[in-house]
Amino acid sequence: MASTPKKSAKPTARKGALAAGAARASGERAKRRSTPLIASTGAEARVGAATTASATPTTSPRTTTSTTTTTATTKAQASVATGGKHRPRPVAKAVPTRKAVSRSGARTPAVAKPPRTPRAGTGARKASTRHTAEPKVRALKAVTDETVVPVAVAEPPTSRSVAPGIEELLTAGIAAVRVAAEAAGISSDDVERHLASLLSFVRRRVTGDYTVDEFGFDEDFTRHFYLPVLRPLYRSWFRVEVRGIENIPSEGGGLVVANHSGTIAMDSLMTQVAVHDEHPAHRHLRMLGADLVFQTPVVGQLARRSGSTLAANPDAERLLSGGELCGVWPEGFKGVGKPFSERYKLQRFGRGGFVSAALKTGVPIIPCSIIGAEEIYPIIGNMKTVARLFGAPYAPITPTWPLLGPLGLIPLPSKWIIEFGAPVETADLGPGAADDPMLVFDLTDQVRETIQQTLYSLLMQRRSVFF
């Protein structure tokens, strides 16, 4: 009788325990349904907070919106609790902030995200330009419109600070020139006149107060620089004696025809100085030269500036028609480069192109004879191979060149005589005479014979080559 109750007590205890466990499980489910889910992540916490806020009854008239929000939140809770894949898309952030959570689980106030510092390099330059371009423009406009920043500008040196140094330099230079002039027997008045002329020439070249004609002739350069450089050779070294200068017309066109010699064409330069200095009208001789003269770099430019032009009939006729005095040396390089053994023997005068130019323009032909030029560089040999190598008509060998090197370029101081013969008139023959080859040949031979006979006469009169 006593064991019966014990056997019946065990099933009763098991049933009580099962009932208690079921009640506990149902209570936990009920609690889980009534309590919002709090997740560890920020997104789940925000979902739980939204659920709590939506579940709280409000007095707002927008009941439909609240009910819809509660239903959506309940579905989101169920999805998160069950680990489902369907998760509501979070609402866009109004302000990019970072919410920190303390160790105790309490939230800290939101802190604004600091701006990123651009890295060094191209990206940094682009970022700085992108973020600061507009403020810089605004600041620049504000400074330009409202304020004016004074800038200190250094004043240029005045003439008062520069003039004393120039005056002292000029004074010292003039004093030195006067001392040298007194030692050379030149008066101080001549020195001052030449200095004043030189300073005036420099001023004109700096200011551009000079003219150049269509052939490149620069009269200011020729009169104040080119001819003064040649005058020491003309007066002191070669001691040129001029005869028959009155045969050159004072105005109008004229053609001077002369013999050519001297290895280097110094005779044409001395003739140019003689016409300008000895003639009462101080006329400029416009020389007609070969193409090799104008192909040489420095010599060609000097020749153009001094009034020379190409020895061609069109240029010669234009100059003669314009009333210019021209000079031609018909022997060319054959006369300049002939050996010393053939000195003062005229070479052929070509085809008489100068005579036809004079006939077409009706200007007189003035024969000119020059002695003394054959002795400045006596040619005793010719290096033909060297001449062909450099494209020159000849490569002379003289008693001083190339034996003495650069000293061999100094010409020997021979005594010169330049004589201008009686002019040969061509105006009465008419322009049509230039088309008659026999007449042109006769006039050419007449001029050549006149120059040759005059050379023989002057050689008989010359007492010495150097004295």
Side-chain angles (χ1 to χ4, degrees):
M1 296 298 292
S3 60
T4 303
K6 291 180 180 179
K7 292 179 181 179
S8 61
K10 291 180 179 179
T12 305
R14 289 194 191 99
K15 291 179 181 180
L18 292 173
R24 196 182 303 113
S26 62
E28 289 178 359
R29 281 200 251 8
K31 185 179 179 180
R32 193 178 301 151
R33 289 174 182 175
S34 61
T35 305
L37 181 63
I38 300 176
S40 59
T41 60
E44 294 172 354
R46 285 194 294 272
V47 172
T51 305
T52 305
S54 301
T56 304
T58 59
T59 58
S60 175
R62 301 178 182 178
T63 308
T64 306
T65 307
S66 177
T67 305
T68 306
T69 305
T70 304
T71 305
T73 306
T74 305
K75 291 181 179 180
Q77 289 178 357
S79 176
V80 172
T82 57
K85 298 182 180 179
H86 300 284
R87 186 174 296 178
R89 184 173 297 177
V91 184
K93 301 178 183 179
V95 179
T97 60
R98 181 179 297 174
K99 296 182 180 180
V101 181
S102 63
R103 293 182 179 179
S104 60
R107 296 180 184 177
T108 58
V111 181
K113 185 179 180 181
R116 293 183 61 185
T117 303
R119 297 180 180 178
T122 308
R125 289 196 296 270
K126 291 182 179 179
S128 61
T129 304
R130 181 171 60 254
H131 292 295
T132 60
E134 186 175 356
K136 282 184 178 180
V137 172
R138 292 178 180 176
L140 180 60
K141 288 182 178 179
V143 171
T144 307
D145 296 339
E146 298 177 4
T147 60
V148 178
V149 180
V151 180
V153 181
E155 296 182 357
T158 59
S159 58
R160 295 180 180 178
S161 60
V162 180
I166 295 179
E167 290 180 358
E168 293 177 0
L169 183 61
L170 290 176
T171 303
I174 291 173
V177 171
R178 284 179 177 176
V179 172
E182 290 178 359
I186 304 175
S187 62
S188 60
D189 295 338
D190 294 339
V191 173
E192 293 180 358
R193 185 174 65 256
H194 289 304
L195 285 176
S197 177
L198 178 61
L199 293 176
S200 178
F201 170 72
V202 172
R203 180 188 61 80
R204 288 192 301 271
R205 305 310 292 189
V206 171
T207 59
D209 187 15
Y210 60 93
T211 58
V212 179
D213 69 356
E214 56 182 345
F215 293 95
F217 174 52
D218 189 347
E219 184 177 359
D220 183 68
F221 170 82
T222 304
R223 188 185 298 272
H224 296 95
F225 179 80
Y226 179 76
L227 293 178
V229 170
L230 296 177
R231 281 194 183 102
L233 289 174
Y234 176 83
R235 295 179 179 177
S236 303
W237 193 254
F238 297 134
R239 307 174 305 279
V240 180
E241 178 183 352
V242 180
R243 302 177 181 179
I245 194 65
E246 65 278 359
N247 292 321
I248 296 178
S250 300
E251 57 184 9
L255 183 62
V256 177
V257 182
N259 60 305
H260 216 14
S261 61
T263 308
I264 297 178
M266 297 291 294
D267 51 0
S268 59
L269 305 180
M270 295 299 104
T271 305
Q272 188 178 16
V273 179
V275 171
H276 180 271
D277 290 357
E278 306 298 338
H279 198 276
H282 300 288
R283 302 196 64 179
H284 291 285
L285 184 64
R286 308 293 296 271
M287 298 182 293
L288 305 176
D291 53 356
L292 182 62
V293 175
F294 301 100
Q295 293 174 1
T296 309
V298 178
V299 177
Q301 297 177 359
L302 289 176
R304 285 288 184 185
R305 287 184 174 273
S306 62
S308 300
T309 187
L310 189 64
N313 276 25
D315 290 350
E317 292 173 7
R318 289 172 60 189
L319 287 172
L320 294 174
S321 300
E324 297 289 344
L325 183 65
C326 297
V328 63
W329 286 258
E331 291 180 278
F333 292 113
K334 293 181 179 180
V336 178
K338 63 177 179 286
F340 187 70
S341 59
E342 299 180 5
R343 60 189 182 277
Y344 299 114
K345 295 180 180 179
L346 297 183
Q347 304 297 311
R348 194 171 68 90
F349 269 20
R351 301 178 181 178
F354 67 94
V355 173
S356 62
L359 289 172
K360 288 182 179 179
T361 56
V363 298
I365 300 175
I366 301 99
C368 179
S369 303
I370 305 170
I371 64 170
E374 296 276 10
E375 290 84 11
I376 60 174
Y377 297 109
I379 296 180
I380 59 178
N382 185 12
M383 298 178 288
K384 296 182 179 180
T385 304
V386 177
R388 285 194 298 268
L389 181 63
F390 288 96
Y394 55 89
I397 300 176
T398 67
T400 58
W401 171 266
L403 181 62
L404 300 181
L407 294 177
L409 298 176
I410 301 176
L412 298 178
S414 59
K415 178 69 171 70
W416 285 38
I417 300 176
I418 300 178
E419 181 173 340
F420 298 96
V424 178
E425 298 294 339
T426 61
D428 53 348
L429 298 177
D435 298 331
D436 187 355
M438 293 303 298
L439 180 59
V440 171
F441 178 79
D442 290 341
L443 282 177
T444 302
D445 188 63
Q446 178 184 348
V447 173
R448 183 179 179 277
E449 287 296 328
T450 301
I451 295 173
Q452 184 67 78
Q453 295 299 325
T454 305
L455 288 175
Y456 289 152
S457 176
L458 293 176
L459 288 174
M460 294 294 294
Q461 299 174 17
R462 186 176 64 170
R463 292 175 297 176
S464 174
V465 175
F466 300 102
F467 302 99

